[in-house]
């Protein structure tokens, strides 16, 4: 027998009600149903092997007593061996990654926790408000309000744990980051600290998202056991057992007149896919523009579209572009994880403002009034059955209230042409049994494979958009990484199917061609072409910028070899820094500012967190952004100063050996790329040897001795 799981169950659900549900909605006969084990809000049921995919498909998202059920199976032996091996391996690696995340949080709980960027300590509450669909918003800052918050990774949408200073690890209040700046940070909590619990100061830790992991585990099991349905077909195609199918391409009438030929070709190809297509977008090639056009074209064809991405910021970018194009898009997920300007388009706030919800609130208010009336103690003996009658009336009103709220959700979702959500924000309790003709996953190369299967259970056709030659998924577990957990679904399919399912965009609109060419040669078969609008643009052409050798050249490499600019390990951490190189970076930034380049136009990037912290201390300049490579993924600046840090006699480059990081770092610059590093150390790696040779070939190479003279 296979174990079927259903949740969340309403209170006082009986086994008889579960049995009727399995027979009426699940299509089973009474004699096919085995043991029914009620476990609070969850029930585990034995169902026959071979029936699990059909039963899960029938029950997942179905309504039961005004709730939508989530359904999945475990313990089946009915699926093919290769699917067993693949999905069980992914589940095991997901568990290893979860353990590594928990271990990192435990290690970061010490006094030096702030240096990792995953924690802030000594915070006080400076403001409390309510909003965002009934959540509680706390604004946190230093006790001395003139002090800035230290550098951190606590970005909007990040799950956090707020706790009292000195509390035991794991104790506190869970929530998400709403907004943050250098002086303060806002978090949204479902439950605020009570008055009696208020500590003198708080700490804020980046937390794991256990709900997301459980959804992935359940989905992997559902995919593994799927038989004779669309999900099983997609599984066979994405595992390489069956070839993907394509319809004949049809003429494309672009809705966006600015699309170039490669964008139009990629969109036309994706629209012809019956199963899966990949839109490969190298840096600056207008990938998001092509994705938006693809979604709009699908909507014009009457298709229902689900647009996803691994991060909240990437989803918000899609939502903003869709709304600007006139599409009726709705954002799923916690409102605190959405940019403030877009929150009115979240399902939570749209439901709060719906007429059905207003009526539901009135009914709920009456219901609780009846409950209070039934519970009152009176001197006189109440009429027989009066209290029971009041409670029954109250429960009926609450049922009506929940029905109206559910109706409001359905009306909003049914009225949308596009739903936008993070991959882990897809919840069967909200979406019900909705299926989508097209699922688009943007930035698909930045997430692990298990999370990509979450929307696939609702998909007719899948389009993956991204660039597997830029940053891969971040993996903490070395064991999981060694077994390939960092290989995204997109990268795996490109490696397996290549041109059969992939179209690459090749016109880029960001970089001077000298900045672009090295990346094009190393990662994109020398296929990229700089658009005429950016091909030769320079810093000195910006208003107010002085023309000098620094601003008149697009690329410059300053070689510190032989100058004694040795790297050092961080005294209180595992990162690395280079003081002399940081001082050189500071001088170059000051020279750019002196030439009239605005601080807001400059990015300083370093691959090591310790170097980022050091540079921030040395360059406390308003508007100047200093961050890690990861922090600048998907972004651009007029000028990028890149500090490579590594300088040692052994020629060790550490995790710079993942050259995709350098592809990201070097392609953030529009008009000027200034790289500082030790060629003697770097050239021990073939990629950096080629990089130095490229800089020499275009006349961009300078020694630090020349800079000092």
């Amino acid at each position: 027998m296979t174990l079927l799981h259903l949740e969340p169950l309403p209170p006082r659900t009986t086994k008889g009600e579960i049995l009727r549900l399995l027979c009426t909605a699940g299509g089973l006969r009474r004699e096919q149903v085995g043991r029914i084990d009620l476990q609070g809000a969850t029930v585990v049921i034995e169902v026959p092997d071979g029936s699990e995919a059909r039963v899960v498909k029938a029950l997942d998202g179905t309504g039961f007593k005004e709730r939508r059920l989530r359904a999945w199976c475990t313990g089946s032996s009915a699926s093919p061996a290769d699917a067993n091996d693949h999905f069980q391996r992914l589940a095991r690696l997901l568990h290893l990654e979860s353990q590594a995340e928990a271990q990192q949080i435990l290690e970061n709980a010490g006094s030096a926790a702030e240096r990792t960027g995953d924690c802030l300590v000594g915070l006080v509450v400076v403001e409390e408000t309510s909003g965002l669909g009934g959540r509680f918003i706390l604004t946190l800052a230093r006790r001395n309000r003139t002090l800035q918050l230290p550098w951190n990774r606590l970005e909007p949408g990040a799950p956090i744990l707020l706790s009292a200073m000195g509390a035991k690890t794991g104790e506190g209040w869970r929530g998400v980051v709403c907004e943050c700046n250098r002086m303060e940070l806002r978090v949204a909590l479902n439950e605020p600290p009570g008055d009696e619990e208020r500590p003198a100061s708080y700490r804020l830790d980046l937390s794991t998202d256990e709900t997301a992991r459980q959804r992935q585990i359940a989905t992997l099991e559902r995919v593994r056991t799927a038989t004779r349905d669309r999900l099983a077909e997609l599984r066979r195609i994405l595992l390489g057992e069956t070839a993907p199918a394509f319809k004949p391409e049809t003429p494309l009438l672009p809705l966006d007149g600015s699309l170039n030929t490669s964008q139009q070709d990629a969109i036309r190809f994706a629209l012809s896919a019956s199963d899966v297509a990949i839109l490969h977008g190298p840096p600056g090639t207008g990938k998001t523009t092509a994705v938006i056009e693809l979604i709009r074209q699908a909507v014009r064809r009457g298709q229902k579209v689900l647009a996803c991405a691994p991060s909240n910021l990437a989803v918000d970018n899609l939502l903003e572009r869709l709304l600007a194009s006139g599409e009726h898009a709705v954002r799923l997920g916690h409102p605190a994880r959405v940019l403030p300007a877009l929150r009115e388009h979240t399902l939570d706030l749209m439901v709060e403002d719906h007429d059905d919800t207003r009526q539901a609130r009135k009914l709920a208010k009456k219901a609780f009034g009846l409950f209070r009336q039934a519970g009152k103690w009176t001197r006189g003996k109440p009429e027989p059955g009066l209290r029971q009658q009041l409670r029954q009336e109250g429960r009926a009103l609450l049922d009506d209230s929940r029905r109206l709220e559910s109706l409001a959700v359905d009306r909003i979702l049914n009225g949308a042409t596009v739903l936008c959500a993070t991959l882990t924000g897809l919840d069967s309790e909200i979406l019900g049994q909705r299926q989508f003709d097209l699922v688009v996953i943007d930035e698909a190369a930045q997430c692990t494979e298990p999370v990509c299967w979450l929307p696939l259970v609702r998909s007719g056709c899948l389009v993956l958009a991204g660039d597997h030659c830029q940053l891969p998924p971040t993996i903490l577990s070395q064991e999981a990484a060694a077994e390939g957990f960092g290989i995204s679904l997109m990268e795996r399919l490109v490696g397996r199917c290549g041109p059969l399912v992939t179209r690459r965009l090749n016109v880029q609109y960001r970089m001077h061609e000298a900045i672009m060419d090295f990346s094009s040669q190393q990662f994109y078969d020398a296929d990229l072409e700089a658009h005429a609008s950016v091909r030769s643009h320079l810093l000195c052409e910006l208003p107010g910028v002085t023309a000098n050798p620094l601003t008149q050249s697009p690329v410059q490499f300053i070689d510190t070899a032989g100058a004694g600019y040795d790297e050092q390990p961080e005294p209180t951490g595992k990162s690395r820094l280079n003081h002399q190189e940081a001082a050189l970076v500071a001088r170059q930034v000051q020279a750019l500012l002196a030439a009239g380049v605005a601080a807001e136009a400059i990015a300083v990037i370093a691959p090591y967190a310790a170097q980022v912290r050091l540079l921030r201390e040395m360059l406390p300049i308003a508007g100047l952004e200093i961050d890690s490579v990861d922090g600048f993924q998907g972004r651009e600046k007029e000028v990028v100063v890149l500090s490579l840090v590594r300088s040692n006699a052994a020629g060790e480059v550490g995790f710079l050996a993942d050259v995709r990081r350098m592809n990201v770092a070097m392609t953030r610059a529009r008009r000027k790329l200034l790289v500082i590093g030790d060629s003697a150390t770097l050239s021990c790696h073939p990629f950096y040897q080629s990089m130095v040779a490229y800089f020499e070939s275009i006349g961009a190479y300078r020694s630090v001795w020349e800079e000092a003279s």
Side-chain angles (χ1 to χ4, degrees), residues 152-447:
N152 62 81
R153 303 179 192 274
L154 299 167
E155 300 176 345
I160 54 90
L161 178 69
L162 179 69
S163 57
M165 289 294 295
K168 294 180 180 178
T169 302
E171 291 184 353
W173 304 271
R174 294 192 179 272
V176 297
V177 177
C178 301
E179 302 171 42
C180 55
N181 56 47
R182 292 194 171 188
M183 302 304 298
E184 59 187 26
L185 181 144
R186 292 181 180 84
V187 297
L189 311 175
N190 289 330
E191 295 289 339
D195 291 336
E196 71 283 356
E197 302 174 280
R198 292 297 171 94
S201 60
Y202 295 88
R203 66 177 285 152
L204 197 66
D205 289 273
L206 192 65
S207 177
T208 57
D209 192 342
E210 186 62 19
T211 300
R213 190 181 75 88
Q214 290 295 339
R215 285 180 182 168
Q216 292 175 68
I217 291 290
T219 297
L220 290 174
E221 185 64 17
R222 178 175 173 182
V223 177
R224 186 181 72 87
T225 58
T227 56
R228 297 186 298 276
D229 62 3
R230 180 56 178 160
L231 182 58
E233 291 175 358
L234 283 173
R235 181 191 67 208
R236 287 191 290 272
I237 291 165
L238 297 182
L239 289 183
E241 299 169 9
T242 305
F246 292 86
K247 304 180 288 290
E249 292 187 20
T250 57
L252 179 72
L253 182 61
L255 299 168
D256 182 347
S258 69
L259 296 174
N260 62 49
T261 301
S262 73
Q263 289 172 319
Q264 293 185 40
D265 289 346
I267 294 163
R268 191 164 48 244
F269 172 74
L271 289 169
S272 75
S274 299
D275 307 303
V276 61
I278 293 174
L279 197 159
H280 181 194
T285 54
K287 170 184 60 66
T288 304
T289 299
V291 167
I292 296 301
E293 178 75 15
L294 169 65
I295 293 170
R296 296 180 68 199
Q297 291 285 347
V299 169
R300 297 306 178 276
R301 298 181 181 202
Q303 296 183 0
K304 283 285 187 179
V305 182
L306 175 62
C308 300
S311 71
N312 284 285
L313 193 58
V315 176
D316 286 348
N317 187 29
L318 291 176
L319 176 64
E320 186 174 33
R321 301 278 291 270
L322 286 167
L323 293 171
S325 300
E327 298 300 327
H328 183 32
V330 173
R331 175 73 153 89
L332 306 181
H334 198 308
R337 291 175 165 157
V338 179
L339 293 173
L342 299 174
R343 283 178 185 158
E344 63 183 285
H345 300 282
T346 60
L347 177 64
D348 283 36
L349 298 191
M350 292 175 76
V351 168
E352 284 289 328
D353 198 41
H354 198 276
D355 290 341
D356 287 338
T357 306
R358 294 192 186 98
Q359 182 62 27
R361 297 289 182 267
K362 292 177 182 178
L363 293 177
K365 186 176 181 179
K366 289 181 181 179
F368 290 120
L370 291 173
F371 292 147
R372 286 192 298 271
Q373 186 178 346
K376 282 182 179 178
W377 182 84
T378 59
R379 291 182 180 274
K381 185 177 181 181
E383 296 180 22
L386 177 60
R387 289 183 173 175
Q388 182 180 0
Q389 180 183 344
L390 291 172
R391 293 191 180 100
Q392 286 177 343
E393 289 179 11
R395 283 194 290 270
L397 286 173
L398 276 183
D399 288 342
D400 290 340
S401 173
R402 294 191 189 101
R403 193 175 297 111
L404 282 171
E405 284 194 46
S406 180
L407 187 61
V409 170
D410 283 341
R411 285 178 173 170
I412 291 169
L413 294 181
N414 291 339
T417 56
V418 185
L419 297 186
C420 301
T422 60
L423 293 162
T424 56
L426 299 171
D427 189 347
S428 294
E429 191 172 355
I430 292 172
L431 288 173
Q433 294 180 294
R434 284 177 174 79
Q435 296 291 311
F436 298 87
D437 303 293
L438 175 65
V439 168
V440 177
I441 303 179
D442 195 16
E443 306 297 358
Q446 293 182 40
C447 52

Side-chain angles (χ1 to χ4, degrees), residues 37-55:
D37 184 12
L38 287 167
Q39 304 171 358
T42 303
V43 62
V44 182
I45 311 133
E46 291 181 339
V47 298
D49 290 339
S51 68
E52 59 275 6
R54 174 173 55 82
V55 175

